[in-house]
Amino acid sequence: MNISLQYAHITVNDLDESLAFYRDVLGLDVRNDVGSDGHRWVTLGSAAQPDLELVLSVPHAGRSQDDGDSFQQLLTKGVLPNIVFRTDDLDATFEAVRAAGAEVLQEPIVQPWGPRDCAFRDPSGNMVRFNQA
């Protein structure tokens, strides 16, 4: 039996603002831009992992009003799960993301548990980490 990750969801406030970050700053490719039932979501991926896609959607997409409201509150607090990317050049990635204006949460450091990494917030406040590969 083989199991692999296919999608990872990132909840955002504004799809177009987030696209500018994930597509233009991080260099991910837009694979689908979908509208359904008044909601829109966008999937992105990297040639380095063709079978994995990130799904950007707003808090109320596909959810009840109450659940969407709860997601919105968590997003506003910045406490939704973070996402971790791997890069072969952490310093160059850090400088490129910082130069694009992303909020720096942590400059590159070696963590006590092993990886050398850095962290930013995306335009919606989600934590985005980068590990040196």
Side-chain angles (χ1 to χ4, degrees):
M1 176 171 69
N2 292 322
I3 297 175
S4 60
L5 184 61
Q6 183 171 4
Y7 299 104
H9 289 257
I10 301 173
T11 304
V12 299
N13 284 318
D14 182 311
L15 280 174
D16 291 317
E17 181 181 47
S18 295
L19 260 177
F21 179 77
Y22 288 96
R23 180 193 57 211
D24 303 338
V25 176
L26 302 188
L28 299 177
D29 301 318
V30 174
R31 296 198 178 148
N32 285 297
D33 192 333
V34 181
S36 178
D37 291 331
H39 298 288
R40 177 178 164 223
W41 64 92
V42 178
T43 65
L44 302 111
S46 165
Q49 289 181 298
D51 295 334
L52 177 62
E53 293 186 352
L54 298 180
V55 182
L56 303 179
S57 63
V58 295
H60 290 88
R63 297 180 179 95
S64 70
Q65 185 66 44
D66 287 345
D67 288 347
D69 291 348
S70 295
F71 251 66
Q72 181 66 62
Q73 290 174 343
L74 294 172
L75 179 61
T76 301
K77 289 180 181 179
V79 296
L80 290 179
N82 64 45
I83 188 161
V84 181
F85 290 95
R86 180 177 47 223
T87 177
D88 61 351
D89 190 337
L90 184 66
D91 294 316
T93 300
F94 177 79
E95 290 306 328
V97 177
R98 178 168 62 180
E103 178 186 354
V104 177
L105 295 177
Q106 175 205 298
E107 296 199 9
I109 62 170
V110 176
Q111 297 290 353
W113 53 89
R116 183 168 181 263
D117 67 0
C118 64
F120 293 89
R121 288 213 186 274
D122 76 4
S124 294
N126 295 298
M127 182 188 295
V128 179
R129 301 191 76 83
F130 297 92
N131 283 0
Q132 176 74 46

